[in-house]
């Protein structure tokens, strides 16, 4: 299995720390790059390459740290407690909130973020244990494309298969 294709729940909690770190950091990097692009283009507007790279590092690095802190703390709590339950995710959420508070130089923001992320982690763990999804995958209708002949783009239903353009009348 490719390293970049690893998912968080490929292995049970408490195992495969590196694979779980890669799985969580994929989302952190993508969110960090998206937010950094927004920040650079609309908010901070740095002049030059180095200040722009600095903004990308300033935004993406702490998000990766939060993802890594959550993953490693959850892994350590699972192994130390010997239980695979929701409390480990709550502890991991508070660890990620601590990284957020250090990033923003605000311990109250870190505590609030830890509480929010801990509750989000507990809800995610509950969804895994109980077999439901908070954001279920819905099939999206794709419009347009190269081969549009396969799709019906009209408002009306298809014509009946026995439809003809004119009726032929028989003469006696």
């Amino acid at each position: 299995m490719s390293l970049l294709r690893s998912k968080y729940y490929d292995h049970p909690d408490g195992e495969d720390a590196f694979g779980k770190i890669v799985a969580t950091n994929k989302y952190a990097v993508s969110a960090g790059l998206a937010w950094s692009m927004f920040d650079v283009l609309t908010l901070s507007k740095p002049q030059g390459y180095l200040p722009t790279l600095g903004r990308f590092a300033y935004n993406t690095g702490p998000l990766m740290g939060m993802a890594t802190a959550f993953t490693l703390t959850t892994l350590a709590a699972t192994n130390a407690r010997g239980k695979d339950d929701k409390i480990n995710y709550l502890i991991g959420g508070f660890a990620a909130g601590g990284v957020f508070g250090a990033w923003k130089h605000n311990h109250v923001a870190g505590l609030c973020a830890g509480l929010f992320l801990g509750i989000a982690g507990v809800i995610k763990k509950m969804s895994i244990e109980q077999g439901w999804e908070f954001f279920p995958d819905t099939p999206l209708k794709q419009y347009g494309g190269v081969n549009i002949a396969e799709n019906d783009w009209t408002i009306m239903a298809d014509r009946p298969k026995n439809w003809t353009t004119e009726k032929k009348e028989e003469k006696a």
Side-chain angles (χ1 to χ4, degrees), residues 83-100:
K83 294 180 183 178
D84 181 17
D85 60 359
K86 296 179 263 317
I87 294 176
N88 300 333
Y89 280 59
L90 182 70
I91 296 169
F94 272 103
V99 173
F100 179 80

Side-chain angles (χ1 to χ4, degrees), residues 21-113:
I21 289 171
V22 169
T24 55
N25 274 304
K26 285 190 304 189
Y27 297 108
V29 166
S30 62
L33 292 177
W35 175 252
S36 297
M37 187 66 69
F38 176 76
D39 176 37
V40 164
L41 292 176
T42 61
L43 300 175
S44 62
K45 299 180 183 177
Q47 302 296 318
Y49 294 116
L50 284 178
T52 303
L53 288 175
R55 291 305 295 178
F56 272 84
Y58 175 78
N59 290 318
T60 306
L63 292 177
M64 291 176 63
M66 289 169 61
T68 304
F70 173 81
T71 305
L72 288 178
T73 306
T74 303
L75 183 87
T78 302
N79 290 333
R81 295 180 63 235
K83 294 180 183 178
D84 181 17
D85 60 359
K86 296 179 263 317
I87 294 176
N88 300 333
Y89 280 59
L90 182 70
I91 296 169
F94 272 103
V99 173
F100 179 80
W103 176 33
K104 295 298 179 182
H105 303 288
N106 188 342
H107 61 278
V108 175
L111 182 65
C112 293

Side-chain angles (χ1 to χ4, degrees), residues 142-154 158 161:
Q142 182 179 0
Y143 295 101
V146 176
N147 193 4
I148 61 172
E150 295 177 359
N151 303 307
D152 181 17
W153 305 112
T154 63
D158 287 337
K161 298 299 178 193

